[in-house]
Amino acid sequence: TTTPHEKIFWKIREQLAMREGRWKFILSGRESFEKDESLPPVFLADLEADPGETTNLAEAKPELVAQLKETLLAWDKDVQSRR
Protein backbone atom coordinates (compact mmCIF):
# COMPACT_ATOMS: atom_id res chain seq x y z
CA THR A 1 0.00 0.00 0.00
CA THR A 2 1.36 3.41 -0.90
CA THR A 3 0.97 6.52 1.18
CA PRO A 4 1.51 10.19 0.33
CA HIS A 5 3.68 10.53 3.46
CA GLU A 6 7.04 8.90 4.01
CA LYS A 7 6.56 9.03 7.79
CA ILE A 8 3.53 9.65 9.98
CA PHE A 9 3.88 10.69 13.63
CA TRP A 10 1.36 11.07 16.44
CA LYS A 11 1.19 11.67 20.16
CA ILE A 12 -1.76 10.82 22.40
CA ARG A 13 -1.34 11.50 26.10
CA GLU A 14 2.03 9.97 27.02
CA GLN A 15 2.12 7.71 23.98
CA LEU A 16 4.39 8.57 21.04
CA ALA A 17 4.09 6.61 17.83
CA MET A 18 5.09 6.63 14.20
CA ARG A 19 4.66 4.72 10.98
CA GLU A 20 7.47 4.46 8.47
CA GLY A 21 6.86 2.18 5.52
CA ARG A 22 5.96 -1.25 6.82
CA TRP A 23 6.89 -0.42 10.42
CA LYS A 24 4.67 0.86 13.22
CA PHE A 25 6.59 1.94 16.32
CA ILE A 26 5.08 2.88 19.68
CA LEU A 27 6.81 4.30 22.77
CA SER A 28 5.61 4.87 26.31
CA GLY A 29 4.05 1.78 27.62
CA ARG A 30 0.74 1.21 25.92
CA GLU A 31 -0.53 -0.19 22.68
CA SER A 32 -4.01 0.93 23.68
CA PHE A 33 -5.48 3.56 25.95
CA GLU A 34 -6.07 1.09 28.73
CA LYS A 35 -3.88 1.44 31.79
CA ASP A 36 -2.57 -2.09 31.44
CA GLU A 37 0.86 -2.35 33.05
CA SER A 38 1.50 -5.67 31.31
CA LEU A 39 1.80 -3.97 27.91
CA PRO A 40 5.37 -3.34 26.71
CA PRO A 41 6.99 0.12 26.90
CA VAL A 42 8.22 -0.31 23.31
CA PHE A 43 6.24 -1.95 20.53
CA LEU A 44 7.34 -2.60 16.95
CA ALA A 45 5.09 -4.19 14.35
CA ASP A 46 5.68 -5.16 10.74
CA LEU A 47 2.34 -4.17 9.25
CA GLU A 48 2.96 -5.99 5.98
CA ALA A 49 3.67 -9.34 7.62
CA ASP A 50 1.41 -8.81 10.65
CA PRO A 51 -1.42 -6.35 9.90
CA GLY A 52 -3.18 -7.32 13.14
CA GLU A 53 -0.13 -6.21 15.15
CA THR A 54 -0.02 -9.43 17.15
CA THR A 55 3.77 -9.76 17.39
CA ASN A 56 6.10 -7.29 19.10
CA LEU A 57 9.40 -7.31 17.16
CA ALA A 58 11.17 -4.78 19.41
CA GLU A 59 13.56 -7.30 20.99
CA ALA A 60 14.28 -9.00 17.66
CA LYS A 61 15.18 -5.75 15.87
CA PRO A 62 17.14 -3.55 18.35
CA GLU A 63 18.95 -1.57 15.63
CA LEU A 64 15.67 -0.63 13.95
CA VAL A 65 14.13 0.25 17.33
CA ALA A 66 17.08 2.57 18.07
CA GLN A 67 16.75 4.28 14.69
CA LEU A 68 12.98 4.74 14.93
CA LYS A 69 13.23 5.91 18.55
CA GLU A 70 15.78 8.56 17.60
CA THR A 71 13.55 9.78 14.75
CA LEU A 72 10.42 9.80 16.90
CA LEU A 73 12.05 11.65 19.81
CA ALA A 74 13.52 14.23 17.42
CA TRP A 75 10.03 14.82 15.98
CA ASP A 76 8.56 15.24 19.46
CA LYS A 77 11.32 17.64 20.49
CA ASP A 78 10.69 19.71 17.36
CA VAL A 79 6.95 19.83 18.04
CA GLN A 80 7.52 20.81 21.67
CA SER A 81 9.91 23.61 20.67
CA ARG A 82 7.17 25.21 18.55
CA ARG A 83 4.79 25.62 21.49
Side-chain angles (χ1 to χ4, degrees):
T1 307
T2 61
T3 176
H5 305 286
E6 187 176 314
K7 297 176 183 142
I8 300 170
F9 300 91
W10 63 97
K11 182 175 185 175
I12 302 173
R13 299 181 196 146
E14 296 86 33
Q15 183 186 80
L16 289 169
M18 68 179 286
R19 165 108 192 244
E20 181 175 358
R22 68 190 301 153
W23 304 107
K24 181 176 178 183
F25 181 64
I26 303 171
L27 279 180
S28 296
R30 291 190 275 286
E31 298 165 61
S32 70
F33 297 113
E34 299 174 20
K35 294 186 183 284
D36 184 346
E37 297 299 322
S38 69
L39 295 174
V42 177
F43 185 81
L44 176 67
D46 179 344
L47 297 178
E48 288 183 18
D50 180 18
E53 302 174 40
T54 60
T55 304
N56 186 354
L57 298 172
E59 288 186 21
K61 299 204 171 281
E63 299 85 13
L64 180 58
V65 166
Q67 173 192 342
L68 294 173
K69 182 176 180 179
E70 181 179 338
T71 301
L72 183 56
L73 293 177
W75 167 81
D76 187 50
K77 184 177 180 180
D78 181 54
V79 169
Q80 295 301 321
S81 73
R82 296 172 192 227
R83 292 184 175 196

